[in-house]
Amino acid sequence: DAGVTQSPTHLIKTRGQQVTLRCSPKSGHDTVSWYQQALGQGPQFIFQYYEEEERQRGNFPDRFSGHQFPNYSSELNVNALLLGDSALYLCASSLGGLITGELFFGEGSRLTVL
Amino acid sequence: EDQVTQSPEALRLQEGESSSLNCSYTVSGLRGLFWYRQDPGKGPEFLFTLYSAGEEKEKERLKATLTKKESFLHITAPKPEDSATYLCAVQASGGADGLTFGKGTHLIIQP
């Protein structure tokens, strides 16, 4: 049973560039949430996708956008990268768009912005 | 604004030495409180969900409890493999579905 998979695992970008991160949810799950975890901090909620729509959004600027595909996989896009965007980006999956805190997380994509 | 504060930030114990981790929270209506474990370089792993004051959940050497203001994660006779960062998170009723996490407690169990 495949868990949540994310790619790439590590990447380095420079300020002003754009990045796309990808996530495949756990088999049978249809809801994807994205979190940002800075070093030494807890994860911060970016947004959640269900039925190919953004359902909820945390306190992140419009530079952060996403997409969900019909196969439930998802992308996170960040434009005009800032140094402060350096973090571990975590994808979490769940079922049915339900309100649940029982999330299955991937191992994350480590983004470094120089 | 929902807030979660975890203490201590770091805790070093000897193998077999029991202790408790604290999670204090402020939320406009609690839908649920969650405990996760995170190993270095990995994503968080779900441990427990607590919904109402007085509720308790157990799993192996871990036991989570909940009051109206805080939650405790009790670790009984820990082993080195229990070393990890333990994260507490809350979900508010009527607000965004996303979880609000604390910064975590970094636990080290020495053999």
Side-chain angles (χ1 to χ4, degrees):
Chain A
D1 180 20
V4 179
T5 58
Q6 293 187 242
S7 64
T9 54
H10 296 83
L11 68 166
I12 300 173
K13 294 285 187 178
T14 57
R15 281 178 296 175
Q17 285 190 312
Q18 178 263 345
V19 68
T20 297
L21 308 177
R22 296 175 176 83
C23 170
S24 292
K26 177 180 168 62
S27 178
H29 284 185
D30 58 7
T31 305
V32 172
S33 302
W34 287 93
Y35 287 78
Q36 179 196 65
Q37 187 175 26
L39 202 60
Q41 304 294 313
Q44 276 195 286
F45 175 67
I46 303 175
F47 42 52
Q48 180 191 66
Y49 276 85
Y50 174 63
E51 292 185 334
E52 301 181 48
E53 289 188 2
E54 181 183 300
R55 292 303 182 99
Q56 295 283 349
R57 189 177 184 95
N59 188 25
F60 278 80
D62 291 344
R63 298 186 298 110
F64 290 77
S65 63
H67 189 78
Q68 186 178 35
F69 300 94
N71 67 352
Y72 309 125
S73 66
S74 177
E75 287 183 350
L76 166 64
N77 301 292
V78 187
N79 295 321
L81 285 168
L82 304 173
L83 295 179
D85 294 332
S86 295
L88 181 67
Y89 287 84
L90 295 163
C91 172
S93 74
S94 55
L95 180 61
L98 297 175
I99 300 165
T100 173
E102 185 174 344
L103 300 173
F104 289 81
F105 283 88
E107 297 197 345
S109 294
R110 171 75 62 188
L111 171 64
T112 302
V113 182
L114 302 176
Chain B
E1 183 180 329
D2 303 335
Q3 283 193 322
V4 176
T5 303
Q6 293 188 244
S7 62
E9 291 185 3
L11 181 62
R12 188 183 297 266
L13 299 172
Q14 292 295 125
E15 184 173 0
E17 181 184 1
S18 302
S19 188
S20 296
L21 312 183
N22 177 265
C23 170
S24 298
Y25 63 90
T26 304
V27 63
S28 54
L30 180 70
R31 175 172 288 158
L33 184 140
F34 312 92
W35 283 97
Y36 282 82
R37 168 191 172 129
Q38 186 172 26
D39 293 303
K42 306 284 188 181
E45 177 187 350
F46 171 78
L47 293 173
F48 302 111
T49 303
L50 300 166
Y51 291 109
S52 57
E55 190 174 358
E56 299 182 352
K57 292 279 180 71
E58 283 190 69
K59 179 180 179 180
E60 296 181 357
R61 295 176 292 281
L62 300 176
K63 178 180 172 180
T65 62
L66 180 64
T67 72
K68 288 186 178 180
K69 297 285 188 183
E70 56 192 351
S71 176
F72 293 93
L73 184 65
H74 307 278
I75 303 177
T76 302
K79 298 181 178 182
E81 53 262 41
D82 295 322
S83 298
T85 295
Y86 290 86
L87 296 164
C88 173
V90 297
Q91 191 173 44
S93 57
D97 290 345
L99 304 187
T100 300
F101 281 86
K103 292 183 179 181
T105 293
H106 181 51
L107 177 66
I108 298 173
I109 308 300
Q110 294 180 310

